[in-house]
Amino acid sequence: MNVLVTDPIAEAGLDRLREAGYDVRTDYDIEGQELLDAVADANALIVRSGTEVSRAVFEAAPDLVIVGRAGIGVDNIDIEAATDHGVIVANAPEGNVRAAAEHTVAMAFAVARSIPQAHARLKDGEWAKSDYLGTEINNKTLGIIGLGRVGQEVAKRLDTLGMNLVVYDPYISEERAAQFGAELIEDLEECLRRADFVTIHTPLLPETENMIGTEELALLEGGYVINCARGGIIDEDALAAAVDDGTVVGAALDVFAEEPLPADSPLLAVDDVIVTPHLGASTEAAQESVAIDTAEQVIAAFNEQPVLNALNAPSVDETAFPRIEPYIPLAETAGKVAAQLLGKRITEIEVHYEGEVAEEDVELITASALKGVFTPLEWQVNAVNAPQLAKDRGIEVTESKTRQAADFQSLVTVTVRNGDEELSVCGTLFAGEDPRIVRIDGFRVDAIPYGHMLVARNYDKPGVIGFIGTVLGENDVNIAGMFNARETYGGEALTVYNLDHSVPDVVIEELLSDDRIIEVKEIVLDGQEELTKRETPTSAD
């Protein structure tokens, strides 16, 4: 596996990848066509904020499995394009959270006490003690815009230092805010009105770009602004003007809309604006941590394990993964079998869980079931893009759970529909990890899902199974296992045959020539290409 690293990360992360046996190439100066050429044979791409991972990059990298962002922000990565190409995008949100939170707190103190300004003047020989009357943060109100991981860590630290906390975050509950000693405010304007200090902790999104402008800054009259999240959230021209005219007492920024910060930025001309060159994550411990976290996620993706911080793929808690792991291939197989047996355009997919598995987080299992459904249709699909493929094609996907299972400890059922016509395949695990297909379209079977499978529908008449076995035997197709079920005596029956190898077309045609046989379909599992459905001329289409 080839790993391309285009932004500097700590050597500990690179060493972890090399120890895992991967070929690691570092090139920190490429962009444009050079980048497109470099990713052509890459299986993983590791970046920080410097590399623009556009749709063109994904189009140039047919073997790319994962893009790892050694840090939190991913606004330089086209996640929609990644999903379209089935590429995982994962960040490392934990490694630099503490560093970013500490820098935010440091900036709050720095702007409240004019520390950089006083330092600079003293270095220049001025004892300007009387020029700086600072502000204590004790009993002041801190407005936190975005209570994500960094926002939470900032809240913990400044709450203990005596600040009153109010939070604006449309995606959290009052109860969650209260856990950090904060009051949830329903709108941004009210949060700004009540705050003495405001700190930003949101990603840069279309809805957050220039979220803080002239009107919003006017609501913070007499207060302070700190932004160590992402540049572009605050209108920098408006902020410079607000601090310059005294509307806002001071501001401290570590991130900017354009980096490096241009020499003609109005922020540099205002004495009460403190700026640092994106140092939030710049600690030795943070850089090593995010590098190792990113490397571990690349390794997990290569090993087809859950990527815990995937942003566009189902993920699962590390402690829960061993419990759901056996169901992932089971659901994929059930999806493959169901799609091929229906043999028609699919308009709906339902994945139903019964028993113990219904107690788990099943998002990854459902994505694997969708992957199985789409694979026989020859779409380029994996668990990353399967949910998006369903959405793009107007296929309705539902997930349901039942805590009780009548006959099994756990049961996963994949149902595919075309209008009023539907077909279900149910799978379970014997002895905790031995997969079985136990129902097909209502017929109770006990089929081992591997290799070549032949599914035959026939009328329940004497000699049919013997005829099928004879035809297979005469053509040197060995039966490894057989599982038969019927609706009623003399009614319709279904038989699943596990075979040692593929069935030639002439054998399928011979089987279908018997009018007692309604339908025969061959399914190839374990990564082999699924074969085309064959039916009798009289069967319904």
Side-chain angles (χ1 to χ4, degrees), residues 489-528:
Y489 175 73
E492 189 174 324
L494 181 142
T495 308
V496 179
Y497 300 87
N498 281 118
L499 308 174
D500 287 341
H501 55 78
S502 183
V503 182
D505 289 346
V506 293
V507 177
I508 297 292
E509 293 170 4
E510 185 175 353
L511 292 173
L512 292 173
S513 67
D514 191 299
D515 60 10
R516 297 172 297 178
I517 297 177
I518 303 168
E519 185 178 72
V520 176
K521 299 179 183 179
E522 186 179 3
I523 299 166
V524 180
L525 303 174
D526 296 341
Q528 302 176 65

mmCIF file of all heavy atoms in Angstrom, residues 489-528:
data_model
loop_
_atom_site.group_PDB
_atom_site.id
_atom_site.type_symbol
_atom_site.label_atom_id
_atom_site.label_comp_id
_atom_site.label_asym_id
_atom_site.label_seq_id
_atom_site.Cartn_x
_atom_site.Cartn_y
_atom_site.Cartn_z
ATOM 1 N N TYR A 489 -47.226 -29.119 0.993
ATOM 2 C CA TYR A 489 -47.080 -30.356 0.216
ATOM 3 C C TYR A 489 -47.652 -30.127 -1.189
ATOM 4 O O TYR A 489 -48.792 -29.721 -1.367
ATOM 5 C CB TYR A 489 -47.835 -31.497 0.898
ATOM 6 C CG TYR A 489 -47.831 -32.787 0.102
ATOM 7 C CD1 TYR A 489 -46.675 -33.547 0.008
ATOM 8 C CD2 TYR A 489 -48.975 -33.208 -0.571
ATOM 9 C CE1 TYR A 489 -46.656 -34.716 -0.730
ATOM 10 C CE2 TYR A 489 -48.975 -34.379 -1.303
ATOM 11 C CZ TYR A 489 -47.801 -35.134 -1.384
ATOM 12 O OH TYR A 489 -47.801 -36.288 -2.117
ATOM 13 N N GLY A 490 -46.810 -30.351 -2.189
ATOM 14 C CA GLY A 490 -47.242 -30.165 -3.567
ATOM 15 C C GLY A 490 -47.195 -28.738 -4.053
ATOM 16 O O GLY A 490 -47.468 -28.473 -5.218
ATOM 17 N N GLY A 491 -46.841 -27.820 -3.158
ATOM 18 C CA GLY A 491 -46.781 -26.419 -3.552
ATOM 19 C C GLY A 491 -45.409 -26.048 -4.097
ATOM 20 O O GLY A 491 -44.711 -26.866 -4.700
ATOM 21 N N GLU A 492 -45.000 -24.802 -3.845
ATOM 22 C CA GLU A 492 -43.711 -24.353 -4.339
ATOM 23 C C GLU A 492 -42.627 -24.666 -3.317
ATOM 24 O O GLU A 492 -42.835 -24.552 -2.108
ATOM 25 C CB GLU A 492 -43.745 -22.845 -4.625
ATOM 26 C CG GLU A 492 -42.495 -22.335 -5.339
ATOM 27 C CD GLU A 492 -42.609 -20.881 -5.734
ATOM 28 O OE1 GLU A 492 -43.722 -20.451 -6.101
ATOM 29 O OE2 GLU A 492 -41.586 -20.164 -5.653
ATOM 30 N N ALA A 493 -41.460 -25.048 -3.799
ATOM 31 C CA ALA A 493 -40.326 -25.366 -2.939
ATOM 32 C C ALA A 493 -39.114 -24.554 -3.377
ATOM 33 O O ALA A 493 -39.041 -24.064 -4.512
ATOM 34 C CB ALA A 493 -40.003 -26.855 -3.002
ATOM 35 N N LEU A 494 -38.175 -24.393 -2.461
ATOM 36 C CA LEU A 494 -36.938 -23.676 -2.752
ATOM 37 C C LEU A 494 -35.776 -24.495 -2.204
ATOM 38 O O LEU A 494 -35.828 -24.995 -1.074
ATOM 39 C CB LEU A 494 -36.960 -22.288 -2.121
ATOM 40 C CG LEU A 494 -35.732 -21.399 -2.348
ATOM 41 C CD1 LEU A 494 -36.152 -19.944 -2.539
ATOM 42 C CD2 LEU A 494 -34.744 -21.513 -1.185
ATOM 43 N N THR A 495 -34.748 -24.656 -3.008
ATOM 44 C CA THR A 495 -33.570 -25.410 -2.595
ATOM 45 C C THR A 495 -32.317 -24.578 -2.865
ATOM 46 O O THR A 495 -32.185 -23.961 -3.913
ATOM 47 C CB THR A 495 -33.468 -26.746 -3.349
ATOM 48 O OG1 THR A 495 -34.693 -27.447 -3.224
ATOM 49 C CG2 THR A 495 -32.347 -27.597 -2.780
ATOM 50 N N VAL A 496 -31.424 -24.542 -1.877
ATOM 51 C CA VAL A 496 -30.137 -23.871 -2.012
ATOM 52 C C VAL A 496 -29.050 -24.928 -2.065
ATOM 53 O O VAL A 496 -28.957 -25.784 -1.180
ATOM 54 C CB VAL A 496 -29.881 -22.909 -0.836
ATOM 55 C CG1 VAL A 496 -28.522 -22.231 -0.998
ATOM 56 C CG2 VAL A 496 -30.984 -21.876 -0.725
ATOM 57 N N TYR A 497 -28.226 -24.863 -3.108
ATOM 58 C CA TYR A 497 -27.115 -25.793 -3.267
ATOM 59 C C TYR A 497 -25.807 -25.029 -3.140
ATOM 60 O O TYR A 497 -25.606 -24.013 -3.818
ATOM 61 C CB TYR A 497 -27.144 -26.459 -4.661
ATOM 62 C CG TYR A 497 -28.396 -27.247 -4.942
ATOM 63 C CD1 TYR A 497 -29.538 -26.631 -5.474
ATOM 64 C CD2 TYR A 497 -28.450 -28.616 -4.707
ATOM 65 C CE1 TYR A 497 -30.680 -27.347 -5.743
ATOM 66 C CE2 TYR A 497 -29.602 -29.355 -4.981
ATOM 67 C CZ TYR A 497 -30.715 -28.708 -5.494
ATOM 68 O OH TYR A 497 -31.853 -29.436 -5.779
ATOM 69 N N ASN A 498 -24.929 -25.495 -2.248
ATOM 70 C CA ASN A 498 -23.554 -25.008 -2.246
ATOM 71 C C ASN A 498 -22.742 -25.883 -3.185
ATOM 72 O O ASN A 498 -22.749 -27.112 -3.073
ATOM 73 C CB ASN A 498 -22.949 -25.076 -0.843
ATOM 74 C CG ASN A 498 -23.409 -23.934 0.041
ATOM 75 O OD1 ASN A 498 -24.050 -24.158 1.057
ATOM 76 N ND2 ASN A 498 -23.087 -22.719 -0.332
ATOM 77 N N LEU A 499 -22.053 -25.246 -4.142
ATOM 78 C CA LEU A 499 -21.324 -25.980 -5.168
ATOM 79 C C LEU A 499 -19.833 -25.667 -5.077
ATOM 80 O O LEU A 499 -19.432 -24.618 -4.579
ATOM 81 C CB LEU A 499 -21.853 -25.608 -6.554
ATOM 82 C CG LEU A 499 -23.370 -25.730 -6.748
ATOM 83 C CD1 LEU A 499 -23.758 -25.196 -8.119
ATOM 84 C CD2 LEU A 499 -23.818 -27.174 -6.573
ATOM 85 N N ASP A 500 -19.042 -26.594 -5.606
ATOM 86 C CA ASP A 500 -17.593 -26.418 -5.551
ATOM 87 C C ASP A 500 -17.065 -25.462 -6.613
ATOM 88 O O ASP A 500 -15.966 -24.927 -6.466
ATOM 89 C CB ASP A 500 -16.887 -27.772 -5.697
ATOM 90 C CG ASP A 500 -17.023 -28.617 -4.433
ATOM 91 O OD1 ASP A 500 -17.318 -28.038 -3.365
ATOM 92 O OD2 ASP A 500 -16.839 -29.848 -4.504
ATOM 93 N N HIS A 501 -17.824 -25.281 -7.696
ATOM 94 C CA HIS A 501 -17.403 -24.335 -8.717
ATOM 95 C C HIS A 501 -18.605 -23.882 -9.526
ATOM 96 O O HIS A 501 -19.735 -24.319 -9.297
ATOM 97 C CB HIS A 501 -16.321 -24.936 -9.632
ATOM 98 C CG HIS A 501 -16.702 -26.232 -10.277
ATOM 99 N ND1 HIS A 501 -17.537 -26.306 -11.356
ATOM 100 C CD2 HIS A 501 -16.347 -27.507 -9.959
ATOM 101 C CE1 HIS A 501 -17.698 -27.580 -11.694
ATOM 102 N NE2 HIS A 501 -16.983 -28.328 -10.873
ATOM 103 N N SER A 502 -18.365 -23.027 -10.474
ATOM 104 C CA SER A 502 -19.442 -22.426 -11.248
ATOM 105 C C SER A 502 -20.180 -23.462 -12.093
ATOM 106 O O SER A 502 -19.646 -24.523 -12.424
ATOM 107 C CB SER A 502 -18.876 -21.328 -12.144
ATOM 108 O OG SER A 502 -19.897 -20.685 -12.858
ATOM 109 N N VAL A 503 -21.417 -23.114 -12.437
ATOM 110 C CA VAL A 503 -22.259 -23.990 -13.251
ATOM 111 C C VAL A 503 -22.241 -23.489 -14.690
ATOM 112 O O VAL A 503 -22.594 -22.331 -14.944
ATOM 113 C CB VAL A 503 -23.704 -24.004 -12.728
ATOM 114 C CG1 VAL A 503 -24.561 -24.957 -13.544
ATOM 115 C CG2 VAL A 503 -23.739 -24.364 -11.252
ATOM 116 N N PRO A 504 -21.851 -24.313 -15.653
ATOM 117 C CA PRO A 504 -21.851 -23.882 -17.059
ATOM 118 C C PRO A 504 -23.246 -23.512 -17.543
ATOM 119 O O PRO A 504 -24.261 -24.013 -17.032
ATOM 120 C CB PRO A 504 -21.320 -25.113 -17.814
ATOM 121 C CG PRO A 504 -20.583 -25.902 -16.777
ATOM 122 C CD PRO A 504 -21.299 -25.665 -15.491
ATOM 123 N N ASP A 505 -23.308 -22.626 -18.514
ATOM 124 C CA ASP A 505 -24.595 -22.185 -19.049
ATOM 125 C C ASP A 505 -25.437 -23.346 -19.557
ATOM 126 O O ASP A 505 -26.666 -23.355 -19.397
ATOM 127 C CB ASP A 505 -24.374 -21.187 -20.191
ATOM 128 C CG ASP A 505 -23.856 -19.852 -19.680
ATOM 129 O OD1 ASP A 505 -23.934 -19.617 -18.452
ATOM 130 O OD2 ASP A 505 -23.378 -19.048 -20.492
ATOM 131 N N VAL A 506 -24.790 -24.321 -20.179
ATOM 132 C CA VAL A 506 -25.558 -25.442 -20.746
ATOM 133 C C VAL A 506 -26.252 -26.231 -19.647
ATOM 134 O O VAL A 506 -27.331 -26.813 -19.869
ATOM 135 C CB VAL A 506 -24.647 -26.358 -21.584
ATOM 136 C CG1 VAL A 506 -24.164 -25.644 -22.829
ATOM 137 C CG2 VAL A 506 -23.478 -26.894 -20.766
ATOM 138 N N VAL A 507 -25.646 -26.276 -18.462
ATOM 139 C CA VAL A 507 -26.261 -26.987 -17.341
ATOM 140 C C VAL A 507 -27.489 -26.219 -16.848
ATOM 141 O O VAL A 507 -28.538 -26.814 -16.571
ATOM 142 C CB VAL A 507 -25.244 -27.182 -16.209
ATOM 143 C CG1 VAL A 507 -25.901 -27.859 -15.004
ATOM 144 C CG2 VAL A 507 -24.060 -28.003 -16.700
ATOM 145 N N ILE A 508 -27.367 -24.893 -16.752
ATOM 146 C CA ILE A 508 -28.514 -24.076 -16.356
ATOM 147 C C ILE A 508 -29.665 -24.269 -17.346
ATOM 148 O O ILE A 508 -30.829 -24.433 -16.951
ATOM 149 C CB ILE A 508 -28.114 -22.594 -16.279
ATOM 150 C CG1 ILE A 508 -27.036 -22.370 -15.205
ATOM 151 C CG2 ILE A 508 -29.329 -21.717 -16.021
ATOM 152 C CD1 ILE A 508 -27.506 -22.569 -13.803
ATOM 153 N N GLU A 509 -29.333 -24.243 -18.616
ATOM 154 C CA GLU A 509 -30.372 -24.421 -19.637
ATOM 155 C C GLU A 509 -31.035 -25.781 -19.522
ATOM 156 O O GLU A 509 -32.258 -25.913 -19.699
ATOM 157 C CB GLU A 509 -29.744 -24.242 -21.024
ATOM 158 C CG GLU A 509 -29.277 -22.820 -21.305
ATOM 159 C CD GLU A 509 -28.454 -22.715 -22.572
ATOM 160 O OE1 GLU A 509 -28.316 -23.751 -23.257
ATOM 161 O OE2 GLU A 509 -27.940 -21.619 -22.861
ATOM 162 N N GLU A 510 -30.263 -26.818 -19.223
ATOM 163 C CA GLU A 510 -30.846 -28.158 -19.079
ATOM 164 C C GLU A 510 -31.775 -28.218 -17.880
ATOM 165 O O GLU A 510 -32.852 -28.830 -17.940
ATOM 166 C CB GLU A 510 -29.730 -29.187 -18.941
ATOM 167 C CG GLU A 510 -30.241 -30.633 -18.916
ATOM 168 C CD GLU A 510 -29.109 -31.655 -18.912
ATOM 169 O OE1 GLU A 510 -27.926 -31.258 -19.069
ATOM 170 O OE2 GLU A 510 -29.413 -32.854 -18.727
ATOM 171 N N LEU A 511 -31.394 -27.588 -16.783
ATOM 172 C CA LEU A 511 -32.259 -27.566 -15.608
ATOM 173 C C LEU A 511 -33.561 -26.831 -15.892
ATOM 174 O O LEU A 511 -34.658 -27.281 -15.522
ATOM 175 C CB LEU A 511 -31.536 -26.893 -14.434
ATOM 176 C CG LEU A 511 -30.330 -27.639 -13.847
ATOM 177 C CD1 LEU A 511 -29.629 -26.763 -12.818
ATOM 178 C CD2 LEU A 511 -30.767 -28.957 -13.217
ATOM 179 N N LEU A 512 -33.462 -25.710 -16.596
ATOM 180 C CA LEU A 512 -34.656 -24.912 -16.875
ATOM 181 C C LEU A 512 -35.569 -25.559 -17.907
ATOM 182 O O LEU A 512 -36.738 -25.166 -18.042
ATOM 183 C CB LEU A 512 -34.241 -23.525 -17.362
ATOM 184 C CG LEU A 512 -33.563 -22.623 -16.313
ATOM 185 C CD1 LEU A 512 -33.045 -21.352 -16.960
ATOM 186 C CD2 LEU A 512 -34.515 -22.303 -15.174
ATOM 187 N N SER A 513 -35.081 -26.553 -18.615
ATOM 188 C CA SER A 513 -35.920 -27.235 -19.611
ATOM 189 C C SER A 513 -36.989 -28.108 -18.973
ATOM 190 O O SER A 513 -37.973 -28.470 -19.624
ATOM 191 C CB SER A 513 -35.037 -28.083 -20.536
ATOM 192 O OG SER A 513 -34.454 -29.167 -19.821
ATOM 193 N N ASP A 514 -36.819 -28.443 -17.698
ATOM 194 C CA ASP A 514 -37.813 -29.264 -16.982
ATOM 195 C C ASP A 514 -38.931 -28.351 -16.488
ATOM 196 O O ASP A 514 -38.684 -27.376 -15.778
ATOM 197 C CB ASP A 514 -37.138 -29.970 -15.810
ATOM 198 C CG ASP A 514 -38.022 -31.032 -15.186
ATOM 199 O OD1 ASP A 514 -39.116 -30.668 -14.700
ATOM 200 O OD2 ASP A 514 -37.627 -32.206 -15.195
ATOM 201 N N ASP A 515 -40.176 -28.654 -16.847
ATOM 202 C CA ASP A 515 -41.284 -27.757 -16.505
ATOM 203 C C ASP A 515 -41.632 -27.770 -15.024
ATOM 204 O O ASP A 515 -42.467 -26.993 -14.569
ATOM 205 C CB ASP A 515 -42.516 -28.079 -17.355
ATOM 206 C CG ASP A 515 -43.004 -29.513 -17.160
ATOM 207 O OD1 ASP A 515 -42.516 -30.198 -16.241
ATOM 208 O OD2 ASP A 515 -43.876 -29.938 -17.946
ATOM 209 N N ARG A 516 -41.013 -28.665 -14.254
ATOM 210 C CA ARG A 516 -41.231 -28.646 -12.805
ATOM 211 C C ARG A 516 -40.385 -27.573 -12.121
ATOM 212 O O ARG A 516 -40.644 -27.232 -10.966
ATOM 213 C CB ARG A 516 -40.884 -30.020 -12.209
ATOM 214 C CG ARG A 516 -41.758 -31.163 -12.697
ATOM 215 C CD ARG A 516 -41.219 -32.490 -12.222
ATOM 216 N NE ARG A 516 -39.873 -32.747 -12.772
ATOM 217 C CZ ARG A 516 -39.150 -33.844 -12.481
ATOM 218 N NH1 ARG A 516 -39.635 -34.758 -11.647
ATOM 219 N NH2 ARG A 516 -37.964 -34.009 -13.025
ATOM 220 N N ILE A 517 -39.400 -27.050 -12.837
ATOM 221 C CA ILE A 517 -38.496 -26.045 -12.271
ATOM 222 C C ILE A 517 -38.951 -24.653 -12.710
ATOM 223 O O ILE A 517 -39.076 -24.374 -13.904
ATOM 224 C CB ILE A 517 -37.045 -26.315 -12.699
ATOM 225 C CG1 ILE A 517 -36.590 -27.670 -12.135
ATOM 226 C CG2 ILE A 517 -36.122 -25.195 -12.209
ATOM 227 C CD1 ILE A 517 -35.212 -28.086 -12.553
ATOM 228 N N ILE A 518 -39.210 -23.804 -11.758
ATOM 229 C CA ILE A 518 -39.730 -22.462 -12.023
ATOM 230 C C ILE A 518 -38.613 -21.490 -12.355
ATOM 231 O O ILE A 518 -38.721 -20.682 -13.275
ATOM 232 C CB ILE A 518 -40.519 -21.953 -10.797
ATOM 233 C CG1 ILE A 518 -41.652 -22.929 -10.451
ATOM 234 C CG2 ILE A 518 -41.046 -20.536 -11.032
ATOM 235 C CD1 ILE A 518 -42.286 -22.647 -9.097
ATOM 236 N N GLU A 519 -37.515 -21.585 -11.596
ATOM 237 C CA GLU A 519 -36.469 -20.576 -11.720
ATOM 238 C C GLU A 519 -35.169 -21.127 -11.142
ATOM 239 O O GLU A 519 -35.182 -21.860 -10.147
ATOM 240 C CB GLU A 519 -36.896 -19.318 -10.947
ATOM 241 C CG GLU A 519 -35.984 -18.120 -11.061
ATOM 242 C CD GLU A 519 -36.556 -16.939 -10.286
ATOM 243 O OE1 GLU A 519 -36.538 -16.981 -9.032
ATOM 244 O OE2 GLU A 519 -37.020 -15.990 -10.924
ATOM 245 N N VAL A 520 -34.076 -20.767 -11.770
ATOM 246 C CA VAL A 520 -32.751 -21.141 -11.263
ATOM 247 C C VAL A 520 -31.858 -19.908 -11.325
ATOM 248 O O VAL A 520 -31.771 -19.260 -12.369
ATOM 249 C CB VAL A 520 -32.116 -22.288 -12.088
ATOM 250 C CG1 VAL A 520 -30.708 -22.578 -11.582
ATOM 251 C CG2 VAL A 520 -32.978 -23.542 -12.031
ATOM 252 N N LYS A 521 -31.196 -19.629 -10.232
ATOM 253 C CA LYS A 521 -30.273 -18.491 -10.198
ATOM 254 C C LYS A 521 -28.971 -18.925 -9.547
ATOM 255 O O LYS A 521 -28.989 -19.625 -8.531
ATOM 256 C CB LYS A 521 -30.871 -17.319 -9.411
ATOM 257 C CG LYS A 521 -32.148 -16.780 -10.008
ATOM 258 C CD LYS A 521 -32.691 -15.648 -9.171
ATOM 259 C CE LYS A 521 -34.022 -15.158 -9.740
ATOM 260 N NZ LYS A 521 -34.596 -14.067 -8.920
ATOM 261 N N GLU A 522 -27.887 -18.521 -10.153
ATOM 262 C CA GLU A 522 -26.576 -18.806 -9.577
ATOM 263 C C GLU A 522 -26.010 -17.536 -8.968
ATOM 264 O O GLU A 522 -26.063 -16.459 -9.566
ATOM 265 C CB GLU A 522 -25.621 -19.345 -10.640
ATOM 266 C CG GLU A 522 -24.292 -19.776 -10.036
ATOM 267 C CD GLU A 522 -23.329 -20.343 -11.053
ATOM 268 O OE1 GLU A 522 -23.660 -20.355 -12.254
ATOM 269 O OE2 GLU A 522 -22.234 -20.757 -10.650
ATOM 270 N N ILE A 523 -25.463 -17.661 -7.774
ATOM 271 C CA ILE A 523 -24.878 -16.553 -7.042
ATOM 272 C C ILE A 523 -23.447 -16.935 -6.689
ATOM 273 O O ILE A 523 -23.197 -18.050 -6.229
ATOM 274 C CB ILE A 523 -25.676 -16.252 -5.756
ATOM 275 C CG1 ILE A 523 -27.104 -15.858 -6.111
ATOM 276 C CG2 ILE A 523 -25.004 -15.157 -4.940
ATOM 277 C CD1 ILE A 523 -28.047 -15.866 -4.943
ATOM 278 N N VAL A 524 -22.525 -16.015 -6.913
ATOM 279 C CA VAL A 524 -21.132 -16.263 -6.565
ATOM 280 C C VAL A 524 -20.730 -15.244 -5.519
ATOM 281 O O VAL A 524 -20.826 -14.039 -5.730
ATOM 282 C CB VAL A 524 -20.213 -16.156 -7.801
ATOM 283 C CG1 VAL A 524 -18.765 -16.416 -7.395
ATOM 284 C CG2 VAL A 524 -20.653 -17.154 -8.860
ATOM 285 N N LEU A 525 -20.294 -15.722 -4.376
ATOM 286 C CA LEU A 525 -19.896 -14.863 -3.271
ATOM 287 C C LEU A 525 -18.372 -14.862 -3.133
ATOM 288 O O LEU A 525 -17.656 -15.337 -4.004
ATOM 289 C CB LEU A 525 -20.563 -15.333 -1.979
ATOM 290 C CG LEU A 525 -22.101 -15.390 -2.029
ATOM 291 C CD1 LEU A 525 -22.641 -16.001 -0.753
ATOM 292 C CD2 LEU A 525 -22.695 -14.021 -2.272
ATOM 293 N N ASP A 526 -17.909 -14.338 -2.030
ATOM 294 C CA ASP A 526 -16.469 -14.295 -1.725
ATOM 295 C C ASP A 526 -15.671 -13.552 -2.770
ATOM 296 O O ASP A 526 -14.602 -13.984 -3.187
ATOM 297 C CB ASP A 526 -15.912 -15.711 -1.561
ATOM 298 C CG ASP A 526 -16.522 -16.433 -0.375
ATOM 299 O OD1 ASP A 526 -17.073 -15.766 0.509
ATOM 300 O OD2 ASP A 526 -16.445 -17.655 -0.353
ATOM 301 N N GLY A 527 -16.228 -12.424 -3.263
ATOM 302 C CA GLY A 527 -15.463 -11.550 -4.137
ATOM 303 C C GLY A 527 -15.492 -11.913 -5.595
ATOM 304 O O GLY A 527 -14.959 -11.208 -6.431
ATOM 305 N N GLN A 528 -16.109 -13.045 -5.967
ATOM 306 C CA GLN A 528 -16.173 -13.403 -7.367
ATOM 307 C C GLN A 528 -17.339 -12.677 -8.023
ATOM 308 O O GLN A 528 -18.294 -12.276 -7.374
ATOM 309 C CB GLN A 528 -16.352 -14.911 -7.502
ATOM 310 C CG GLN A 528 -15.220 -15.696 -6.826
ATOM 311 C CD GLN A 528 -15.472 -17.179 -6.882
ATOM 312 O OE1 GLN A 528 -15.486 -17.768 -7.940
ATOM 313 N NE2 GLN A 528 -15.695 -17.767 -5.730
#
